[in-house]
Amino acid sequence: MARSKKSSRGASAQSKASPNGAATNRRPPTMAENGRSGAGLAQPETPTTTVVRRRRFNRRRVLLIIAAVAILLIGGGFGYAWWQVQRTLPTTNGTVTFKGLSAPVTVTRDAFGVPHIVAANEKDLYMAQGYVHAQDRLFQMFLFRAVAQGRLAELLSGSPDAANADKFFRTIGFHRAAVAELAALPADVHGVLEAYAAGVNEFIHTHGDTMPLEFSLLGIGMEDWQPVDTLAFGKLQAWDLSQDWSHELVGADLQKQLGAEQAARLMDHYPADAPVTVPGQNSGDGMRMVEAYNKTVRPWLINLQTEGLGSNNWVIDGTKSATGKPLLANDPHLGVRNPSIWYQMHLTTTDGKQDIAGFSFASAPGIVTGHNQHIAWGVTNVGGDVQDLYIEKLDPEGHPGQYQNGSEWRPLQLITETIQVKGDVPVTYTVRLTERGPLLSDAFDPKDPLGSSVEKPLSMQWTAHTSGHLFEALYALQTASNWQEFRAALSKWTVPGQNFVYADTQGNIGYQMTGAHPVRKKGDGSLPVPGYTGEYGWTGVVPFDDLARAYNPPGHFIATANNKPFGDASNLPIRGDWSGPWRIGRIREMLQAKDKLSVDDFKAMQFDVQSLLAKEIAPYIAALKPQDDRGKQTVEAFKGWDGKLTTDSTNAAVYEIFLQRTLTETLSDDLGRDLYFSYIDSVGTNSWLAMSDLLKKPDDAFWDRKDTPAKETRDDILLRSLTGSLDDLQKAFGDNRQDWTWGKLHSIQPAHPFGEQAVIGGLFNLERQPIGGDNTTVAVSSYSWLAPFNGVTNHQSYRMIIDLSNWSNSLAVYATGQSGQPGSKHFSDMFPVWLRGDYNPLLYAKAEIDAQKEDVLTLKP
């Protein structure tokens, strides 16, 4: 009977594995079952047949033993694997010895895995923060550093693509710029970075045989963390948030293809009537380089960078708040990844100097967004243009090793870089720098067919190449207690530029734009310009006091969503790739809908999936006149549609495919296939700034297809796009319209860098889930416009609401879990909470922390 049950289970398992669903458990019959040559069944038993029967018995016995051993080995293998995972989990209870501390430090982890660190002084606090970051996120820190240093080929993969990516990162010079910045740091900030690094290294030195699983899989260790690694991480994040160089190249190619006037209609332009944060003054051949970057470099930035970055934040004062005190909300939009780029924590010193809760980066000391005893703040990316490309002139014959700058020839600075390649010979090459910056075009292999058409050398000037003061600003921000101290800290915030909203316990609210924004001799930075003439370049940066700001505005609220921060009256010489007006418009709409707003209202706002762009497009769909019943039914459904992109919405699914098809039908013939793809990849959703203008001009020449004899108008293209959208959905999901839902097309899966590995990927990735919203909704769930339904690329990396009337009413959640290790209970426990729009308390008071404590670890000197 036991053997029969086992066979039954085997049949079930094997039939599931069959490609066509048929049972595959039937093995070839044995000789004993068939009889030998069909004879012998009636013969008398002989010694020979007796031996045969013994052999039959022994064979079965051997097979049973083999099966049993296999089961034990498989079970043992799983058990061993599980043990390997569990043994790498950090100690979070009890007492551990920690060299260098001046006094004991307690680390209380609450029910959500969030550590609350209490230390006697700042040095001990930052040492403990480094240690705790390493406990939960050491491999993430390793990966950040490998990218910033350009050591992927050495540490992760010996592939040529990895070496080419390293070449690009070293040409840009994240680590090189960090080394220069380290030398300029004031002593107190340098001390903080040293303390943080000492904490990381204490964990590395005491856990060499129990490092996170990824290190075992790669067969490598972790080198000591250095203060320069934190600075290089800051440069890497600045790169993540500053990608204008590719926009310049695509803009140049559009001009070449269409002419300046028509190209200007397609490139990013912020509508004149769209909301701004502070209305008045303060109260060529580039396409090939972009393709080469996308092919060679971008894949190595998985879990580090994603297109369509953005964020929301807003704050209201006590007159609009149900509590009588300010409420502040923030949800940064960053790439979907596991683990999250954020790490939630609470840092306290017993000397009263620090008591700050919020979100940090595992690689850097301090809290980036959150609140201390006196003030709260949140950030969004400014998106200002802080990168410029210059066409350089080199003369290897007449002026070897030099570049032209006006009437002068100046020597190129040469830096020899050697890339170690895993399992292969090292690659040595030379980085060439002008006074403006590195020759970016050198980063692309001239033998690469994608890079070979870059005939003119291009240099890149970037504000992050100069020594900045980011970590000085972050350090000062930790203890700021009022608006004046807050602004004094932010005056040092250079790269990346951020929109800060502010609130304090006295009831004040404010906004401050930050960042080093270049002042140009000539031009606006939108296109590559000649560097050799000497006419262009930067003369400095916009003074901090000239940047947009507001303090207790008469409207009683402030909101930003990567929109243009300032009005035309400001006359600021700053251009940027501002996000379209849809998110900021919806936020303002909801803020103005009620006289008083509560924490619950803020929760609903952050989870809102109504798209103002969808509401704008819906009437155009509703006005179409299809001839078939399927089309008529669809058009009818769009009449009066509210534009809510919920997972169960059929209209949302039709609309999203319609957007893609309309863009392709309208622009692909004018631009050509390759330039069209580069354009869409570069501007993404903002392509609909141009399309919105075109919709108002039904006979515009852009609507007419150049590859057909007919003269198409707007309605021809829109009807064709709608019909194609319905065909796509019907083919994918069948004839039943109820099955055509947005959630079936739109999903999210926080993925690990190892997530694509066939055997282990499932261990590191979280489960794919349907999700509402899109690139234009407040609850952002952006997708790539080149692969629109391959999954969400950009999401609300965390959601935070801070109640200035009572810190204990504050809430926070993010989309993965605190731990980066798959064996931990906090590896993914926040994901379902985040997905359904719920929150965890942002614990702050000691009594509440103690009531929800899960583990207490004492770090003992």
Side-chain angles (χ1 to χ4, degrees):
M1 292 293 293
R3 197 166 65 193
S4 173
K5 289 181 180 178
K6 183 176 177 182
S7 298
S8 174
R9 288 195 296 269
S12 174
Q14 290 185 31
S15 69
K16 286 180 182 178
S18 172
N20 60 10
T24 60
N25 60 302
R26 293 183 180 177
R27 53 180 170 79
T30 65
M31 291 176 67
E33 290 166 339
N34 278 346
R36 285 188 177 81
S37 302
L41 295 178
Q43 293 176 359
E45 187 172 298
T46 66
T48 303
T49 58
T50 303
V51 171
V52 168
R53 286 182 179 176
R54 284 187 186 137
R55 284 176 183 163
R56 291 175 193 164
F57 172 77
N58 289 341
R59 185 180 292 121
R60 290 189 184 123
R61 183 179 179 186
V62 168
L63 290 173
L64 285 172
I65 291 172
I66 291 173
V69 170
I71 290 171
L72 288 173
L73 287 174
I74 292 171
F78 280 121
Y80 177 75
W82 183 245
W83 174 76
Q84 283 281 30
V85 171
Q86 290 296 305
R87 69 188 288 268
T88 65
L89 298 182
T91 299
T92 55
N93 254 326
T95 301
V96 298
T97 301
F98 192 127
K99 293 180 182 179
L101 289 177
S102 65
V105 176
T106 60
V107 182
T108 303
R109 280 179 164 82
D110 62 30
F112 318 106
V114 176
H116 303 259
I117 303 176
V118 180
N121 53 64
E122 279 190 346
K123 181 181 177 182
D124 288 354
L125 182 70
Y126 289 124
M127 289 177 70
Q129 185 183 20
Y131 185 88
V132 170
H133 274 166
Q135 281 188 306
D136 284 334
R137 299 290 184 86
L138 190 64
F139 182 73
Q140 185 180 50
M141 298 171 69
F142 164 87
L143 188 59
F144 285 144
R145 181 168 63 180
V147 173
Q149 290 181 338
R151 295 177 64 194
L152 294 169
E154 173 189 352
L155 299 171
L156 294 176
S157 168
S159 73
D161 281 347
N164 287 333
D166 287 336
K167 184 178 179 181
F168 182 88
F169 297 139
R170 294 192 189 198
T171 300
I172 295 298
F174 301 127
H175 191 262
R176 186 169 62 246
V179 170
E181 187 166 306
L182 182 66
L185 283 180
D188 55 349
V189 179
H190 195 283
V192 168
L193 297 183
E194 289 278 6
Y196 179 83
V200 176
N201 295 334
E202 177 67 15
F203 180 82
I204 294 171
H205 297 163
T206 55
H207 291 76
D209 58 345
T210 56
M211 299 287 274
L213 184 60
E214 293 96 330
F215 291 99
S216 298
L217 293 171
L218 290 171
I220 58 176
M222 176 76 172
E223 299 169 3
D224 278 5
W225 192 263
Q226 305 295 338
V228 71
D229 296 329
T230 293
L231 298 180
F233 167 78
K235 302 294 184 182
L236 179 60
Q237 294 310 307
W239 177 260
D240 195 1
L241 298 172
S242 306
Q243 292 290 300
D244 190 75
W245 69 274
S246 62
H247 291 243
E248 291 184 33
L249 292 172
V250 172
D253 283 338
L254 284 174
Q255 280 206 7
K256 183 177 180 181
Q257 175 77 3
L258 302 175
E261 184 178 347
Q262 292 293 79
R265 297 179 64 194
L266 297 185
M267 287 308 287
D268 301 351
H269 58 285
Y270 197 70
D273 58 349
V276 295
T277 302
V278 180
Q281 294 179 315
N282 286 331
S283 55
D285 47 12
M287 179 175 64
R288 293 295 183 179
M289 280 184 66
V290 176
E291 289 178 356
Y293 175 82
N294 290 341
K295 174 189 175 185
T296 304
V297 180
R298 187 183 278 182
W300 292 99
L301 290 170
I302 184 173
N303 294 88
L304 298 176
Q305 176 189 338
T306 320
E307 65 274 0
L309 298 169
S311 301
N312 303 317
N313 61 16
W314 60 85
V315 63
I316 61 174
D317 66 20
T319 65
K320 277 194 71 68
S321 167
T323 69
K325 288 283 188 177
L327 293 174
L328 183 147
N330 194 195
D331 55 290
H333 307 156
L334 297 171
V336 178
R337 66 194 90 195
N338 187 37
S340 169
I341 193 171
W342 298 105
Y343 186 85
Q344 188 180 336
M345 61 196 326
H346 179 192
L347 306 176
T348 305
T349 56
T350 56
D351 61 10
K353 189 172 183 181
Q354 292 222 23
D355 191 6
I356 179 169
F359 289 87
S360 67
F361 289 130
S363 287
I367 298 296
V368 179
T369 66
H371 72 85
N372 60 24
Q373 309 99 304
H374 310 288
I375 69 171
W377 66 93
V379 300
T380 67
N381 193 40
V382 169
D385 179 2
V386 295
Q387 295 174 331
D388 281 354
L389 294 179
Y390 299 91
I391 303 167
E392 301 292 354
K393 186 174 288 186
L394 309 179
D395 182 8
E397 301 294 331
H399 301 85
Q402 296 181 311
Y403 66 98
Q404 186 176 358
N405 192 59
S407 60
E408 299 179 355
W409 286 88
R410 299 182 181 180
L412 289 159
Q413 181 184 351
L414 306 179
I415 300 174
T416 300
E417 293 280 3
T418 300
I419 299 171
Q420 301 298 327
V421 180
K422 201 171 189 177
D424 207 339
V425 297
V427 175
T428 300
Y429 79 104
T430 301
V431 175
R432 301 185 292 175
L433 296 99
T434 71
E435 66 176 18
R436 287 170 282 277
L439 290 180
L440 184 66
S441 49
D442 283 359
F444 300 101
D445 188 345
K447 297 178 183 178
D448 186 328
L450 290 177
S452 61
S453 66
V454 182
E455 299 170 355
K456 299 174 182 176
L458 289 173
S459 66
M460 184 181 76
Q461 189 168 12
W462 180 28
T463 52
H465 280 144
T466 59
S467 295
H469 306 277
L470 174 64
F471 287 95
E472 294 177 56
L474 184 60
Y475 177 57
L477 192 57
Q478 308 300 295
T479 55
S481 62
N482 55 47
W483 174 246
Q484 290 73 28
E485 292 177 0
F486 178 73
R487 289 196 69 239
L490 296 188
S491 67
K492 300 178 183 295
W493 193 288
T494 48
V495 180
Q498 299 289 288
N499 296 301
F500 280 79
V501 293
Y502 163 95
D504 63 37
T505 53
Q506 301 304 307
N508 302 299
I509 65 172
Y511 160 78
Q512 179 66 59
M513 177 183 176
T514 67
H517 300 273
V519 176
R520 299 171 173 89
K521 293 180 186 177
K522 185 178 179 181
D524 64 358
S526 60
L527 297 170
V529 294
Y532 54 84
T533 66
E535 298 176 274
Y536 296 87
W538 298 350
T539 61
V541 297
V542 176
F544 175 74
D545 283 336
D546 289 350
L547 298 178
R549 67 180 183 272
Y551 187 63
N552 292 329
H556 307 290
F557 71 84
I558 303 166
T560 84
N562 315 111
N563 53 286
K564 188 177 180 181
F566 49 85
D568 292 339
S570 296
N571 291 319
L572 288 174
I574 300 173
R575 70 166 297 275
D577 300 313
W578 322 120
S579 290
W582 308 295
R583 279 188 289 117
I584 186 62
R586 178 61 178 152
I587 291 169
R588 292 174 64 89
E589 191 177 86
M590 290 188 287
L591 286 172
Q592 294 171 325
K594 297 175 69 174
D595 291 335
K596 301 280 186 179
L597 296 161
S598 66
V599 168
D600 284 342
D601 291 320
F602 272 32
K603 290 164 67 175
M605 288 177 65
Q606 287 189 330
F607 207 56
D608 184 77
V609 293
Q610 186 175 62
S611 168
L612 294 190
L613 178 60
K615 287 185 69 176
E616 175 188 336
I617 301 300
Y620 289 98
I621 299 176
L624 295 175
K625 301 187 182 304
Q627 299 303 307
D628 61 308
D629 290 341
R630 183 189 66 171
K632 291 177 181 177
Q633 185 180 359
T634 300
V635 164
E636 191 65 28
F638 271 88
K639 293 179 179 177
W641 182 47
D642 59 10
K644 290 184 178 178
L645 307 179
T646 57
T647 55
D648 61 352
S649 171
T650 296
N651 273 9
V654 174
Y655 158 78
E656 296 288 349
I657 300 177
F658 176 83
L659 287 184
Q660 312 298 321
R661 281 189 163 272
T662 301
L663 273 173
T664 304
E665 292 281 359
T666 308
L667 299 179
S668 62
D669 60 316
D670 295 282
L671 305 186
R673 178 183 180 277
D674 292 342
L675 180 54
Y676 173 73
F677 285 152
S678 292
Y679 169 71
I680 294 301
D681 187 45
S682 177
V683 303
T685 310
N686 272 9
S687 57
W688 275 91
L689 291 174
M691 292 299 294
S692 293
D693 287 342
L694 283 177
L695 286 172
K696 300 167 187 172
K697 302 168 184 175
D699 296 316
D700 194 283
F702 269 120
W703 295 114
D704 182 32
R705 294 285 307 182
K706 291 182 170 52
D707 51 4
T708 69
K711 181 175 176 59
E712 290 90 355
T713 65
R714 178 195 65 193
D715 290 352
D716 295 326
I717 295 297
L718 296 186
L719 184 57
R720 183 184 302 176
S721 299
L722 179 63
T723 301
S725 302
L726 300 180
D727 288 343
D728 290 342
L729 286 164
Q730 192 166 9
K731 183 177 180 180
F733 303 122
D735 295 336
N736 186 356
R737 284 176 54 84
Q738 301 304 312
D739 293 332
W740 303 358
T741 62
W742 182 220
K744 288 189 176 182
L745 287 174
H746 196 54
S747 62
I748 186 170
Q749 182 178 39
H752 186 277
F754 287 2
E756 294 185 1
Q757 300 297 319
V759 177
I760 61 173
L763 181 66
F764 290 98
N765 290 345
L766 304 191
E767 185 178 357
R768 185 174 293 278
Q769 296 288 343
I771 189 172
D774 73 354
N775 308 39
T776 66
T777 55
V778 177
V780 158
S781 56
S782 300
Y783 53 77
S784 166
W785 283 61
L786 290 183
F789 308 119
N790 283 0
V792 171
T793 60
N794 179 357
H795 66 331
Q796 293 175 310
S797 54
Y798 74 67
R799 293 192 294 265
M800 178 176 69
I801 300 171
I802 299 178
D803 184 350
L804 276 291
S805 73
N806 183 353
W807 300 124
S808 296
N809 290 336
S810 301
L811 303 168
V813 69
Y814 60 96
T816 57
Q818 284 287 103
S819 176
Q821 302 197 56
S824 169
K825 66 181 290 186
H826 297 301
F827 179 66
S828 61
D829 56 334
M830 289 195 195
F831 186 42
V833 180
W834 176 90
L835 199 64
R836 63 177 179 262
D838 286 341
Y839 296 75
N840 297 329
L842 185 64
L843 297 176
Y844 193 64
K846 185 178 185 305
E848 293 164 349
I849 296 166
D850 288 341
Q852 298 211 40
K853 69 182 177 184
E854 184 176 83
D855 297 310
V856 179
L857 177 67
T858 300
L859 306 178
K860 184 179 178 182

